[in-house]
Amino acid sequence: MGTGSSPVNPLDSDDSLRIKMLVVPLARLPYSQHMKQTRYSRQRHPHRGQELDSHGTGRDIIYGSHAVLAALRNPRRHHIKLWLSENASHRFATELPASVPREITAPKVLDQMAGPDAVHQGLVLEAHSLEPVDLEDVPGQGLILLLDQVTDPHNVGAVLRLAAAFGAHALVTTERHSPGLTAALAKAASGGLEHVAFARETNLAQAIQTIKNKGFTVIGLDSEAEIELSEAPLQPPLALVFGAEGKGLRRLTKDRCDMVARISLPGPIASLNVSTAAAIALYIVTREASIAP
């Protein structure tokens, strides 16, 4: 590279995988290693080397220390290559598996790979996508979260991180009017993608019915509901449904829930950001479950 030349993005070379960070959605995560292979995953198997499409199959670019290290520790991930800065190679030396090919490169190159304003912390990982989850394969136990047309990837990522922190088994979103599994979402999830099953459903009302058929009690969160969440039956199997800020739950979504409940707040503002509402709701569910007889 001559003096004054721009840094070369490894993903732009002739023998590259022809992928760009800004168009790399992340894969859907299976619930467990025993998940049955779905029709979708058979048709779009991520290990066949095809280029990425809008569904996020193929290969992923993951950045940020928490997201990358979680992916490296996930035995279901097939890792292709790790790009890192000199500083990161020393900072994370004891946490980086020797089996993953790596290349130390300039921070400016990592900036190009991760995209504008991305905080990569010196780590960018390329890995094969994980097979998508089929909602039918999610066991009828534990806790599931559903998002009704929540469009902000940072909010969805934050909820995914909360789901992992509180031990939820799956997060379900809508195919339309919700973000794909982009690198920005994965960064906000801070490793949650490696621990929580992620499903995108065409029809959320039908998805709720599928969950109810498995024995889940489905509770929608609505600031105008008559009962408080702490008064609702919160024993598992339990599913909580959150709407977008402002719009809330759609009518059909609300109708399919077993009940709707509100989070009681002492101040004058009753509507919360979805990730904030999820954090409070998950705390309430955990607290009530721990004191139940």
Side-chain angles (χ1 to χ4, degrees), residues 27-282:
R28 300 169 186 174
L29 188 66
Y31 176 76
S32 74
Q33 291 175 316
H34 307 292
M35 190 76 74
K36 292 182 287 186
Q37 188 181 43
T38 65
R39 180 166 62 103
Y40 182 93
S41 63
R42 286 197 299 269
Q43 292 174 343
R44 300 177 180 268
H45 198 285
H47 291 233
R48 291 178 184 164
Q50 79 282 9
E51 293 186 35
L52 289 170
D53 61 20
S54 61
H55 295 285
T57 58
R59 294 173 177 178
D60 304 335
I61 293 297
I62 307 168
Y63 64 80
S65 60
H66 291 297
V68 168
L69 294 176
L72 288 171
R73 289 191 292 264
N74 185 356
R76 298 188 299 274
R77 280 279 189 189
H78 180 76
H79 312 112
I80 300 171
K81 189 172 181 178
L82 175 67
W83 284 272
L84 67 167
S85 66
E86 182 73 39
N87 181 59
S89 71
H90 297 296
R91 180 182 177 188
F92 302 106
T94 60
E95 301 179 78
L96 303 177
S99 59
V100 179
R102 68 182 69 177
E103 179 178 328
I104 296 177
T105 190
K108 288 185 178 180
V109 175
L110 300 176
D111 292 342
Q112 290 183 348
M113 296 171 69
D117 303 319
V119 182
H120 52 70
Q121 298 167 297
L123 294 175
V124 177
L125 174 68
E126 180 189 1
H128 281 297
S129 303
L130 295 161
E131 292 182 359
V133 65
D134 189 325
L135 196 56
E136 290 284 357
D137 297 329
V138 175
Q141 59 189 31
L143 176 65
I144 293 177
L145 306 182
L146 298 93
L147 300 180
D148 188 10
Q149 296 192 342
V150 176
T151 58
D152 181 10
H154 298 93
N155 267 330
V156 177
V159 173
L160 191 56
R161 183 177 186 176
L162 287 165
F166 282 90
H169 291 165
L171 176 67
V172 182
T173 67
T174 52
E175 281 280 3
R176 298 181 60 191
H177 305 293
S178 67
L181 288 179
T182 62
L185 186 153
K187 179 66 167 63
S190 196
L193 275 173
E194 310 301 322
H195 301 286
V196 179
F198 192 101
R200 297 182 71 196
E201 296 292 320
T202 303
N203 188 316
L204 193 66
Q206 290 182 1
I208 291 174
Q209 190 58 53
T210 298
I211 292 170
K212 290 171 69 173
N213 292 343
K214 290 176 173 288
F216 283 83
T217 299
V218 180
I219 301 176
L221 276 294
D222 186 339
S223 61
E224 298 181 356
E226 293 184 5
I227 69 168
E228 295 185 11
L229 181 61
S230 59
E231 300 171 347
L234 300 178
Q235 296 305 304
L238 177 68
L240 300 178
V241 190
F242 300 89
E245 186 175 2
K247 296 190 302 182
L249 297 176
R250 289 175 293 167
R251 182 189 59 78
L252 185 56
T253 301
K254 192 182 299 186
D255 290 345
R256 285 295 175 91
C257 295
D258 290 306
M259 66 181 66
V260 292
R262 73 179 188 276
I263 296 172
S264 183
L265 300 170
I269 297 178
S271 177
L272 298 172
N273 170 282
V274 65
S275 59
T276 303
I280 297 173
L282 286 167

